[in-house]
Amino acid sequence: METRQDVFDWLHGQLRFGIKPGLKRIEWMLNALQVKELPSIHVAGTNGKGSTVAFLRAMAMKQGLNVGTFISPYIIQFEERIMLNGEPIREDDLVQIANRVRDCAAKSPETLTEFELLTVMAWLYFHEQQPDLVIWEVGLGGRLDSTNVLTRPLATVVTSIGHDHQGILGDTLEEIALEKFGIMKSGVPMFHSLTEERLIVLLKRQGETMDAPIHDVTPLVTSVEDGTDTVVTYDGMPPVTLGLTGHHQAYNGACAIAVARHLGWKNEAIQAGLESAQHPGRYELISRQPRIVLDGAHNAEGVAALVEQLKLERDVTVLAAILADKDREAMIESLQTVADVYETTFDFPRTRTRDSLITDGARYIDWQEWLAAWLEAPKSETLVVTGSLYFISEVRTYLKETFTNA
């Protein structure tokens, strides 16, 4: 492999092996490559984990640390999945790492999936770069996710539990929760912003079994001022305008604050990190005139949080592309309470087809034609593009090019 495209083609070629939960393949690879664990934070949750990673990264950088992050999915470019100090892995590093991982994987007793290979690439890259800290975002669930080969993280985080990937993680919230709590490690504190009492009881019981201290971060939030900006007062801090907008971001910020305080980071770094955190595709204001917001609310709980924020906007149109394995009906019904909703599809394996959307009564449009017309003559004060993060990525690229060429 000589180019980034060669790497993508190789990785995507592994998609046919699907999702194969389990850690033995990853453990074999890390052992074969002689990669050692670095100081790490491990973040799980149905929604909010990416934003929590963004807050933690910004705080760590303000603390003066070199920090690696592993996230999924990406919004702007594939290389965002593996970053150092907020900068995506460079092409020459990506190619060099991928070749080493491919050669090692060829000797593995079992074939690895795309996500497993990507996780190993991140481990190898960070092993070579030796950052002070690595923040790992769980890909799916937690217990059997390929990131869960960490043996002794500095802290673990669970941001939220909602209905997502039921076919893999379980049908009930309790089953899904236990999969996410599976990143818990003996003696390592776990921080959470859960609100459902039955899940908190389950978490505390798991903490006792695992001998892991459990910390609820929600009391850190003393007040939230909602608006086009989100201003939060946290315990022991002056009011701060968050870099990420939305009422729910107050609690993702609280998760990050609790971890940062546990690690002894300075108050100045924590406050500056809350203010400067950036996370593309999470209530991201991409244009002020016309007002266009991108938000990857890709499941029912994410849409509920988005709807709360949209109540503060005026005259909203929503363009949504929801994947086939999500509860489309509930998501659209919720969005229709605050906006005029149009639906579309895009080129992706798990997307809904045009015909299935029309059959289900969607207001279907071809998104590129529709968006071009909307930009020429906006039909409302605010346009919000939502649904799959992969769709958000496509629209973001399209809009950036449109505004650049305008």
Side-chain angles (χ1 to χ4, degrees):
M1 292 182 283
E2 295 179 359
T3 67
R4 65 196 291 266
Q5 192 57 51
D6 294 339
V7 175
F8 304 157
D9 292 344
W10 165 63
L11 282 170
H12 295 333
Q14 308 301 306
L15 268 176
R16 65 185 185 278
F17 299 112
I19 296 167
K20 298 194 292 187
L23 304 175
K24 286 186 178 169
R25 293 176 295 277
I26 287 260
E27 287 165 349
W28 186 92
M29 288 285 290
L30 296 181
N31 189 49
L33 289 163
Q34 296 187 301
V35 174
K36 298 285 182 272
E37 186 170 325
L38 293 166
S40 297
I41 299 167
H42 203 184
V43 183
T46 303
N47 294 303
K49 56 184 185 289
S51 298
T52 300
V53 170
F55 281 126
L56 279 166
R57 174 174 56 213
M59 290 174 187
M61 288 171 65
K62 295 294 184 183
Q63 180 69 16
L65 301 177
N66 283 316
V67 55
T69 48
F70 179 70
I71 64 165
S72 65
Y74 65 93
I75 294 293
I76 305 166
Q77 64 180 103
F78 180 90
E79 290 89 339
E80 288 168 52
R81 289 183 161 208
I82 304 171
M83 294 205 266
L84 190 62
N85 296 327
E87 292 297 321
I89 183 171
R90 296 198 322 253
E91 182 171 18
D92 53 348
D93 288 325
L94 180 76
V95 171
Q96 182 258 125
I97 294 285
N99 279 314
R100 287 180 61 192
V101 170
R102 183 189 61 180
D103 293 347
C104 183
K107 301 170 194 158
S108 169
E110 285 189 71
T111 307
L112 281 83
T113 65
E114 179 191 33
F115 191 73
E116 287 173 330
L117 291 166
L118 191 58
T119 306
V120 175
M121 285 167 59
W123 273 80
L124 185 55
Y125 177 65
F126 296 140
H127 178 75
E128 288 192 350
Q129 298 294 325
Q130 289 291 303
D132 304 305
L133 176 70
V134 181
I135 308 168
W136 297 91
E137 178 185 340
V138 167
L140 179 66
R143 183 174 65 92
L144 298 174
D145 186 75
S146 61
T147 60
N148 203 27
V149 282
L150 292 166
T151 59
R152 188 77 186 169
L154 301 172
T156 59
V157 179
V158 174
T159 56
S160 66
I161 308 290
H163 291 96
D164 212 3
H165 303 290
Q166 286 101 310
I168 300 163
L169 302 181
D171 294 323
T172 68
L173 282 183
E174 286 86 350
E175 287 172 326
I176 294 169
L178 284 172
E179 289 298 317
K180 295 185 189 296
F181 298 163
I183 66 169
M184 191 183 290
K185 302 290 181 292
S186 177
V188 176
M190 175 171 269
F191 299 89
H192 76 89
S193 56
L194 305 180
T195 53
E196 281 208 51
E197 193 54 40
R198 60 188 170 132
L199 300 182
I200 295 170
V201 168
L202 199 61
L203 177 56
K204 286 177 178 172
R205 196 180 304 147
Q206 187 84 342
E208 286 168 12
T209 304
M210 291 284 294
D211 189 28
I214 305 298
H215 301 283
D216 179 1
V217 308
T218 57
L220 289 177
V221 181
T222 58
S223 77
V224 184
E225 227 178 282
D226 292 315
T228 47
D229 286 325
T230 303
V231 182
V232 188
T233 305
Y234 292 104
D235 185 44
M237 290 175 65
V240 56
T241 301
L242 299 182
L244 305 176
T245 304
H247 189 93
H248 58 291
Q249 296 294 4
Y251 296 92
N252 297 327
C255 286
I257 291 169
V259 172
R261 286 178 176 174
H262 168 68
L263 297 177
W265 297 351
K266 294 175 189 161
N267 284 334
E268 296 82 3
I270 292 171
Q271 175 133 357
L274 289 167
E275 292 169 340
S276 65
Q278 292 296 310
H279 197 197
R282 268 64 171 203
Y283 215 82
E284 178 188 13
L285 183 62
I286 200 125
S287 165
R288 289 185 185 278
Q289 203 55 258
R291 184 171 173 82
I292 303 175
V293 174
L294 304 184
D295 189 78
H298 57 283
N299 52 32
E301 285 81 7
V303 164
L306 172 60
V307 165
E308 285 308 304
Q309 187 60 31
L310 292 184
K311 287 174 182 174
L312 305 169
E313 298 279 359
R314 295 193 319 176
D315 189 20
V316 181
T317 299
V318 163
L319 171 62
I322 298 167
L323 295 183
D325 56 353
K326 308 297 180 185
D327 187 353
R328 171 195 163 270
E329 199 174 323
M331 293 165 73
I332 294 300
E333 202 173 293
S334 184
L335 287 166
Q336 284 173 335
T337 62
V338 290
D340 206 12
V341 182
Y342 294 84
E343 291 182 76
T344 191
T345 187
F346 66 112
D347 186 18
F348 188 71
R350 301 201 324 270
T351 192
R352 289 168 195 275
T353 64
R354 172 184 179 277
D355 290 347
S356 73
L357 284 168
I358 292 171
T359 301
D360 289 342
R363 287 172 79 187
Y364 177 84
I365 48 94
D366 176 290
W367 74 265
Q368 288 193 335
E369 283 178 22
W370 182 89
L371 192 51
W374 197 93
L375 291 171
E376 282 289 317
K379 301 287 192 299
S380 63
E381 287 192 35
T382 305
L383 173 64
V384 177
V385 183
T386 191
S388 163
L389 282 162
Y390 297 101
F391 177 59
I392 300 303
S393 177
E394 280 197 24
V395 175
R396 192 181 194 282
T397 302
Y398 174 86
L399 288 172
K400 288 283 185 187
E401 287 171 1
T402 302
F403 293 140
T404 302
N405 297 329

